[in-house]
């Protein structure tokens, strides 16, 4: 660890509550420092220095994403922590000492992992080109988007806009159904904007008539998504910011009020030595953060059954990557028979992952206490994993939120705007679905630690991960931001294209993917340095997706998926556990 690393306040550079590195550290070295910082501050993570020393980081020296945050290094650290816990599980199960194994993480790989959803090919065609050419829509039989971005106006219903309040921008979010949001703001949802730029100008004229506080109250009153673009200090000073700061990034705890259940040792599977072989996971999630949890657990050997409802909106592109290693079924929880089927699956499950707000999932009968009761009756504890926007409690606990809301609330969008040279409060999304992907990674790490503890001590566990918290970690003074000089060196290398406040996250991701492919062609093409793994015979034919980030020294133990991605709602609803 580099004890001498220091950060200094950078209010004049990136805004109030920001801290910039006093001296530059190469990315792999900095990732090691961040690993130790997060490891020390994570309750339940081993403090055995011998296990920490098994971790090795590799990669380029310079940052490899636009902007000043070290999100790839935070992701690299969290992946490494997953590797350490995986080795603990293997030691408990097989007797192989974790201290004799190695955990390797490439920081470039961790960065590209944040863009997983576009790091893929289908029948030799690159995902980014399939998106740009609009060929992607020819590859699926069922459209899960239900036209949510069918017009330019709907496309720009989720974007960053200047409010009436001087120097304050606001994240407007159509939340997969733009019509009520647009109406509430005084707009015609059928306004015939011909281009995204025209739509953005139309929405801008209306949003600028509202102060930031008025927009906030409008959204709270109507149950809409949305957030003021706070500075990092502004968020930290809010009541919700203070409440969330009381929680660790990786939050998991044994549920002491649950009916006691015995220890459940990990099962030895003869032909599968991955750490979670034999573990059963039910995933009730949408979009990115929740599916990432199951995606990681599947790579570690878990049998993951993902539950979707075909009438609910989801992004079509996500199923090509985030469903890798899973099976998927269609259940509608407004129907009692479908609720009963979900309960049947949970009855044998070890982990339940859900992305609903607490009261919403409770009304459906699958809140944490509902499942703790089920676990007590069956005599086997369960790991209950929930991901949301604002964390496990506090005044915003029941507010809806997506990645962009976390970015705006935490101060990440404000900082990105400052990094791009805006001094007037103009805010811009971070360059990748950072909070989504990191939230999923945090949830997976929490699930791993909870499963380890259940095997050792018994009981049931609750894991929480938050989009805002996943953003805030990148802004903490202990992590630090890159100086403008370092950011500019990266800009010169990658020659990033235009990034601005009107763009949707996938539009910005295309810009980043272009830079990566120009500088790192070896990662995306066949060869010894390729980061892609291939599958044959799936529903979409020959596919390549990004390999799991963490690499373990034993090739039989290291994470990998055995099956390709499948569409949502693909399998028979009565499928059984493997």
């Amino acid at each position: 660890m580099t004890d001498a690393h220091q950060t200094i306040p950078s209010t004049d550079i990136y805004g109030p509550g920001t801290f910039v590195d006093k001296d530059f550290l190469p990315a792999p070295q900095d990732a090691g420092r961040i690993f130790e910082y997060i490891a020390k501050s994570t309750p339940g993570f081993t403090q055995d220095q011998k296990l920490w020393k098994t971790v090795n980081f590799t990669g380029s020296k310079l940052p490899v994403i636009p902007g000043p945050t070290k999100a790839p290094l935070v992701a690299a650290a969290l992946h490494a922590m997953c590797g350490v816990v995986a080795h603990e599980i293997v030691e408990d199960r097989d007797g192989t000492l974790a201290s004799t194994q190695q955990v390797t993480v490439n920081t470039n790989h961790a960065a590209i992992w944040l863009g997983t959803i576009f790091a893929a090919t289908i029948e030799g065609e690159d995902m980014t080109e399939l998106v740009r050419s609009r060929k992607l829509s020819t590859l699926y039989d069922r459209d899960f988007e239900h036209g949510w971005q069918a017009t330019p106006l709907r496309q720009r219903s989720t974007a960053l806009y200047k409010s009436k309040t001087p120097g304050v921008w606001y994240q407007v979010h159509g939340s997969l159904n733009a019509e009520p949001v647009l109406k509430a703001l005084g707009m015609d949802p059928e306004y015939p904007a011909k281009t995204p730029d025209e739509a953005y100008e139309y929405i801008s004229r209306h949003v600028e008539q509202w102060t930031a506080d008025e927009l906030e109250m409008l959204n709270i009153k109507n149950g809409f998504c949305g957030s003021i673009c706070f500075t990092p200090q502004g968020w930290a000073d809010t009541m919700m910011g203070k409440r969330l700061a009381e929680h660790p990034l990786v939050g998991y705890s044994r549920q002491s009020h649950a009916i006691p259940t015995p220890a459940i040792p990990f099962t030895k599977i003869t032909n599968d030595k991955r750490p979670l072989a034999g573990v059963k996971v039910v995933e009730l999630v949408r979009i990115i953060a929740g599916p990432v949890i199951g995606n990681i657990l599947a790579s570690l050997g878990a049998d993951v059954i993902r539950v979707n409802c075909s009438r609910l909106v989801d992004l079509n592109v996500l199923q090509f990557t985030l469903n890798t290693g899973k099976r998927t079924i269609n259940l509608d929880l407004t129907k009692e028979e479908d609720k009963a089927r979900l309960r049947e699956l949970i009855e044998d499950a070890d982990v339940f992952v859900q992305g609903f707000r607490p009261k919403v999932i409770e009304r459906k009968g699958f809140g944490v206490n509902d499942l703790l009761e089920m676990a007590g009756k069956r005599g086997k504890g369960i790991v209950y994993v929930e991901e949301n926007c604002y964390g496990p409690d506090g005044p915003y606990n029941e507010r809806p939120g997506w990645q962009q809301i976390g970015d705006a609330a935490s101060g990440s969008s404000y900082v990105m705007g400052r990094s791009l040279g805006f001094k007037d409060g103009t805010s811009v999304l971070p360059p990748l679905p950072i909070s989504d992907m990191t939230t999923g990674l945090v949830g997976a790490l929490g699930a791993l630690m909870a499963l380890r503890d259940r095997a050792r001590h018994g009981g049931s566990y609750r894991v929480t991960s938050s989009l805002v918290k996943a953003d805030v970690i990148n802004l903490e003074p202990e992590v630090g931001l890159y100086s403008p000089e370092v950011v500019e060196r990266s800009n010169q290398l990658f020659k990033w294209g235009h990034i601005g406040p009107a763009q949707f996250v996938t539009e910005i991701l295309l810009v980043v993917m272009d830079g990566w492919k120009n500088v790192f062609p070896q990662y995306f093409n066949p060869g010894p340095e390729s980061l892609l793994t291939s599958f044959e015979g799936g529903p979409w034919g020959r596919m390549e997706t990004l390999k799991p980030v963490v690499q373990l020294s034993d090739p039989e133990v290291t994470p990998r998926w055995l099956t390709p991605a499948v569409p949502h709602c693909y399998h028979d609803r009565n499928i059984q556990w493997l």
Side-chain angles (χ1 to χ4, degrees):
M1 179 176 178
T2 306
D3 294 324
H5 180 268
Q6 294 180 346
T7 59
I8 55 177
S10 53
T11 302
D12 293 340
I13 302 171
Y14 297 129
T18 63
F19 300 83
V20 70
D21 289 345
K22 187 174 181 181
D23 297 298
F24 171 73
L25 284 179
Q29 183 181 350
D30 212 7
R33 181 188 65 81
I34 292 169
F35 166 83
E36 294 198 9
Y37 165 63
I38 299 177
K40 283 182 178 178
S41 57
T42 299
F45 188 77
T46 180
Q47 299 300 301
D48 186 342
Q49 297 291 310
K50 290 185 295 184
L51 297 190
W52 290 13
K53 290 178 181 178
T54 65
V55 174
N56 178 49
F57 294 98
T58 62
S60 302
K61 293 182 179 180
L62 284 175
V64 298
I65 66 170
T69 75
K70 299 177 183 176
L73 306 189
V74 169
L78 291 167
H79 279 292
M81 291 171 71
C82 286
V84 170
V85 180
H87 276 152
E88 288 184 294
I89 290 171
V90 172
E91 177 174 335
D92 290 349
R93 184 189 67 190
D94 300 339
T96 305
L97 292 177
S99 59
T100 66
Q101 303 301 298
Q102 293 295 311
V103 176
T104 302
V105 173
N106 182 298
T107 56
N108 296 346
H109 192 167
I112 295 169
W113 174 82
L114 293 169
T116 287
I117 61 174
F118 281 177
T121 69
I122 301 174
E123 290 290 356
E125 292 195 69
D126 185 85
M127 183 66 74
T128 58
E129 296 309 313
L130 288 168
V131 170
R132 284 187 167 113
S133 66
R134 302 185 184 277
K135 289 183 181 179
L136 202 65
S137 61
T138 67
L139 300 180
Y140 43 80
D141 297 326
R142 179 182 281 167
D143 180 8
F144 287 91
E145 294 185 0
H146 301 299
W148 76 284
Q149 279 197 328
T151 68
L153 196 65
R154 293 182 186 181
Q155 292 170 24
R156 290 296 179 252
S157 67
T158 297
L160 290 152
Y161 291 95
K162 182 180 180 181
S163 76
K164 188 177 180 180
T165 305
V168 180
W169 281 54
Y170 198 88
Q171 174 67 62
V172 177
H173 203 293
S175 194
L176 308 181
N177 181 18
E179 183 172 330
V181 176
L182 295 171
K183 282 184 176 180
L185 288 167
M187 285 175 266
D188 176 7
E190 302 303 322
Y191 178 79
K194 295 180 181 179
T195 66
D197 286 346
E198 184 183 345
Y200 186 77
E201 291 175 6
Y202 174 72
I203 296 174
S204 292
R205 292 197 299 271
H206 286 79
V207 175
E208 283 191 62
Q209 297 174 24
W210 300 71
T211 68
D213 289 334
E214 288 170 342
L215 289 165
E216 194 80 339
M217 185 53 63
L218 176 77
N219 285 322
I220 291 173
K221 178 182 176 181
N222 289 282
F224 298 153
C225 288
S227 177
I228 293 171
C229 292
F230 289 100
T231 67
Q233 188 63 55
W235 168 254
D237 289 341
T238 66
M239 185 182 298
M240 188 65 239
K242 292 175 181 177
R243 179 66 67 86
L244 189 58
E246 297 172 1
H247 296 282
L249 173 65
V250 187
Y252 87 106
S253 60
R254 184 170 180 172
Q255 300 300 282
S256 58
H257 64 288
I259 298 171
T261 51
I264 307 294
F266 288 94
T267 304
K268 285 190 177 183
I269 307 296
T270 304
N271 59 350
D272 192 347
K273 292 186 177 181
R274 290 176 297 167
L276 298 187
V279 170
K280 302 176 179 68
V281 179
V282 173
E283 192 181 72
L284 184 66
V285 293
R286 284 193 290 166
I287 313 299
I288 297 178
V292 166
I293 298 172
N295 185 248
I296 293 172
L297 298 182
S299 75
L300 289 160
D303 181 14
V304 180
I305 296 178
R306 177 174 178 176
V307 177
N308 278 86
C309 176
S310 58
R311 66 177 178 81
L312 297 180
V313 175
D314 208 329
L315 276 66
N316 292 318
V317 69
L318 304 179
Q319 58 195 326
F320 295 101
T321 50
L322 300 185
N323 284 352
T324 306
K326 303 177 186 178
R327 294 180 291 162
T328 66
I329 63 173
N330 184 13
L331 295 179
D332 184 344
L333 298 188
T334 64
K335 300 177 180 179
E336 288 303 320
E337 61 269 29
D338 286 17
K339 287 184 180 179
R341 176 60 187 136
L342 181 56
R343 290 190 189 95
E344 289 176 358
L345 287 171
I346 294 172
E347 187 62 38
D348 290 324
D350 301 288
V351 180
F352 178 65
V353 182
Q354 69 89 11
F356 292 85
R357 285 168 285 147
K359 289 183 180 178
V360 174
I361 195 68
E362 287 170 9
R363 288 195 295 269
K364 296 179 184 297
F366 298 97
V368 61
N369 288 324
D370 297 308
L371 267 66
L372 292 179
E373 183 179 16
M374 290 176 64
K377 289 180 178 179
R378 72 182 185 180
K380 182 174 78 169
I382 195 163
V383 175
Y384 188 98
V385 185
E386 53 188 312
E387 59 85 10
N388 61 24
C389 189
Y390 293 104
D393 53 31
Y396 285 6
N397 179 236
E398 285 295 329
R399 285 191 69 177
W402 305 94
Q403 173 225 313
Q404 297 93 333
I405 306 304
D407 296 340
S410 64
S412 296
S413 295
Y414 178 89
V415 168
M416 188 65 189
R418 289 291 292 260
S419 176
L420 292 171
F422 296 108
K423 300 288 188 180
D424 60 352
T426 299
S427 297
V428 179
L429 286 179
L432 298 157
I434 288 168
S435 61
D436 260 331
M437 296 295 292
T438 306
T439 297
L441 178 52
V442 166
L445 174 56
L448 276 168
M449 291 195 292
L451 286 167
R452 177 203 62 194
D453 288 4
R454 189 189 70 156
R456 292 175 175 177
H457 311 298
S460 289
Y461 297 79
R462 181 189 181 196
V463 179
T464 60
S465 59
S466 154
L467 294 168
V468 178
K469 192 74 175 180
D471 270 325
V472 167
I473 182 69
N474 296 303
L475 303 172
E476 291 187 3
E478 293 84 356
V479 172
L481 297 168
Y482 287 118
S483 69
E485 294 76 19
V486 173
V487 172
E488 180 57 25
R489 288 168 64 189
S490 177
N491 291 345
Q492 291 297 319
L493 175 63
F494 289 93
K495 296 179 171 52
W496 310 114
H498 170 72
I499 297 174
Q503 290 168 301
F504 193 66
V505 62
T506 50
E507 295 172 292
I508 299 175
L509 179 52
L510 287 171
V511 171
V512 179
M513 291 297 298
D514 288 343
W516 284 339
K517 288 178 180 179
N518 286 332
V519 176
F520 298 133
Q522 70 274 23
Y523 291 156
F524 302 95
N525 294 316
E529 294 186 69
S530 175
L531 296 181
L532 302 180
T533 184
S534 61
F535 299 94
E536 301 281 351
W540 293 296
R542 181 167 55 89
M543 290 191 67
E544 292 179 307
T545 57
L546 198 67
K547 295 175 183 176
V549 174
V550 65
Q551 298 295 303
L552 307 181
S553 48
D554 185 343
E556 292 188 313
V557 172
T558 203
R560 63 194 181 281
W561 296 287
L562 303 185
T563 57
V566 298
H568 301 327
C569 309
Y570 182 72
H571 294 89
D572 185 281
R573 56 178 279 140
N574 293 314
I575 58 172
Q576 301 300 309
W577 292 108
L578 297 176

